Amino acid sequence: MSKKLHLVSLGCTKNLVDSEVMLGRLKEYEITDDNTNADVIIVNTCGFIDAAKEESINTLLNLHDARKENSILVMSGCLSERYKEELMKELPEIDIFTGVGDYEKIDELIARKQSSFSPEVYLATESSGRVITGSSYHAYIKIAEGCNQTCSFCAIPSFKGKLHSRSLESIVKEVTNLVNEGFYDFSFISQDSSSYGRDMGMKDGLRELIRAVKEIDGVKSARILYLYPSTTTFELIDDIADSKIFQTYYDMPIQHIDDRVLKTMKRGFGEKQTIALLEHMKSKPDSFIRTSVIAGHPGETQESFEKLCTFMENFGFDRFNTFHYSNEESTTAYGMEQIPQELINERAAILGEIAETSTLRSLEKMVGRTVTLVIDGESDEHEFLLSARPLLWAVDIDGEILINDTNDLPVTYGKIYAAKITELVGNQLLATLISEQLAMSN
């Protein structure tokens, strides 16, 4: 009887790619959702901010409490890497500790029941043998690891290191291999995607990537996540909009809009330059703009917070996330005068309400439009509704559209259709299928 594996991947999609590499190394295991019956349990942790750290530790302890005798509990990923000495002392419940460098060795570590922390950060390649999860048509492609930015609030460079990009050849090979397996929709990810290739002497690496992916037969849709303001150019924005393959999708976390706060955050770009980039994105037909902001960073006065709120209310973002400022050791902001947590929570709640209104306005604008979407399966809302995602939207984070009328068309999950959005009920869009989408050309 085969041994069983239960894996929990926390945090970002970059973590998910590394989790998929571990699944590829452990193919002899049967994947199970029942953690109480698993022989091996792996938690790929997130160590970005306090909330993520707490979630990681609680997940590990809960799984330990419920696991069967003689099973192996593995802690991997960013949190393990960042606090390895402390955690190995304080968590005797964990059998194996490993960080962000040994994902391809996970089978060896489990066989030896041995902890390991490689000095190098792991970066998946076309030969990693990862097992794509959650979709039969979409895959994340990690194009780089680490980050050269020095944002005052971010600890990622302290445990992920400097920017380390994959070769363009490696990326093209991986995408080509996945197309041959039936995947056609791709999200390209890294900590700072607009800096891709700079460590290899490429001036416009991401623009070169866009041109290269365009030439891969079988890629029908793609998007880029995590642009950085000071490394995003107007030419890059144009290339994304002009591409027939890449969605006109701009995901650029701005974190704030007030000049003084941006300077304190060490963001590189101020208000005027950031707005110029955003307005250029907004000028593109059918563009979709996502961002994130931080509430309560040291130095954020009431005046600067109100300025941020006014901007977020008026610009017209399609989606934005709000993060509570988290005071992280090893960051520049750690030693600054801190804003009281109660005030941070209050400001985050206000921004959260603005985000909900902003999303609703974006959804309202879609009513009556015809969109290209892919049907993912039966909706959790009702068995007679189908869950679909416009190819313009990013997987998991931008929501779903519910199909309540198929027009008697044959429905195949993972297939592309044209649909007309008929109404908005609450915050949920409903749509009617119009036709099967004809083959999309590069």
Side-chain angles (χ1 to χ4, degrees), residues 284-340:
K284 301 303 178 183
D286 300 319
S287 63
F288 187 102
I289 306 177
R290 166 178 276 281
T291 193
S292 66
V293 294
I294 295 174
H297 189 281
E300 183 186 62
T301 63
Q302 184 62 28
E303 181 183 7
S304 60
F305 173 68
E306 289 174 1
K307 183 176 183 177
L308 174 63
C309 289
T310 299
F311 181 75
M312 302 309 289
E313 284 175 335
N314 295 333
F315 180 79
F317 288 100
D318 293 285
R319 305 285 190 277
F320 77 84
N321 290 348
T322 301
F323 290 94
H324 297 63
Y325 170 76
S326 178
N327 198 28
E328 300 295 317
E329 64 270 27
S330 80
T331 65
T332 307
Y334 186 70
M336 297 179 184
E337 183 178 350
Q338 302 296 305
I339 292 175

Side-chain angles (χ1 to χ4, degrees), residues 351-369:
L351 285 166
E353 291 177 4
I354 295 172
E356 289 181 10
T357 301
S358 184
T359 297
L360 200 60
R361 287 177 185 159
S362 176
L363 295 175
E364 286 170 347
K365 291 178 183 177
M366 294 184 69
V367 176
R369 291 184 183 178

Side-chain angles (χ1 to χ4, degrees), residues 46 90 97 114 166 169 241 244 272 281 346:
C46 177
E90 296 173 8
F97 291 88
Q114 173 187 346
R166 288 173 63 182
E169 180 184 16
K244 293 180 181 179
K272 183 177 179 181
M281 295 172 182
E346 180 184 314

Side-chain angles (χ1 to χ4, degrees), residues 134-169:
S135 179
S136 60
Y137 67 89
H138 170 269
Y140 292 100
I141 306 295
K142 191 186 288 192
I143 62 176
E145 264 293 2
C147 185
N148 286 349
Q149 309 302 336
T150 58
C151 300
S152 62
F153 52 84
C154 184
I156 288 176
S158 70
F159 56 89
K160 281 293 186 85
K162 293 290 187 180
L163 177 71
H164 172 52
S165 303
R166 288 173 63 182
S167 71
L168 190 55
E169 180 184 16

Side-chain angles (χ1 to χ4, degrees), residues 194 198 203-204 207 227-240 250 252 269 277 280-281:
S194 44
R198 292 191 174 199
K203 182 182 177 183
D204 293 306
R207 296 180 68 195
L227 303 175
Y228 191 88
S230 65
T231 53
T232 297
T233 63
F234 291 100
E235 292 79 11
L236 173 61
I237 293 170
D238 291 342
D239 283 358
I240 292 171
Y250 302 106
M252 187 178 75
F269 260 22
L277 287 174
H280 196 60
M281 295 172 182

Side-chain angles (χ1 to χ4, degrees), residues 163-177:
L163 177 71
H164 172 52
S165 303
R166 288 173 63 182
S167 71
L168 190 55
E169 180 184 16
S170 172
I171 294 170
V172 169
K173 284 181 179 178
E174 182 179 16
V175 174
T176 301
N177 291 342

